[in-house]
Amino acid sequence: MEKTNPSLLKILLILNLTISTCAAIGVGYLAYNQSTSPDFSEMNPRGGGQMAPGSNQFQPGQDQSDQTQ
């Protein structure tokens, strides 16, 4: 087995530590953003994931024949 240069090994370890630290910071940032952002159910005051009034989109519980106006 070849003898590995100790300075190359140190560089690779530092690079690995840097990448791991950046990944941990990124995951923490995303988790913080998701915990502070509102849920989708809070975005529409009517709730239930329904469309805004006046939209012609199909909603659950309606037949396609109800969409013609």
Side-chain angles (χ1 to χ4, degrees):
M1 193 169 160
E2 294 181 27
K3 186 173 183 177
T4 305
N5 191 354
S7 63
L8 177 63
L9 190 59
K10 286 181 183 179
I11 290 172
L12 290 176
L13 286 172
I14 291 170
L15 184 63
N16 188 13
L17 179 65
T18 304
I19 291 172
S20 300
T21 303
C22 290
I25 290 171
V27 168
Y29 173 76
L30 290 176
Y32 174 75
N33 269 354
Q34 188 163 2
S35 69
T36 58
S37 66
D39 293 336
F40 287 113
S41 62
E42 296 174 2
M43 289 185 182
N44 189 353
R46 291 176 48 193
Q50 297 175 345
M51 293 290 194
S55 65
N56 286 333
Q57 298 294 324
F58 179 74
Q59 296 177 358
Q62 293 179 337
D63 294 332
Q64 288 286 30
S65 60
D66 292 344
Q67 291 297 316
T68 57
Q69 294 179 0

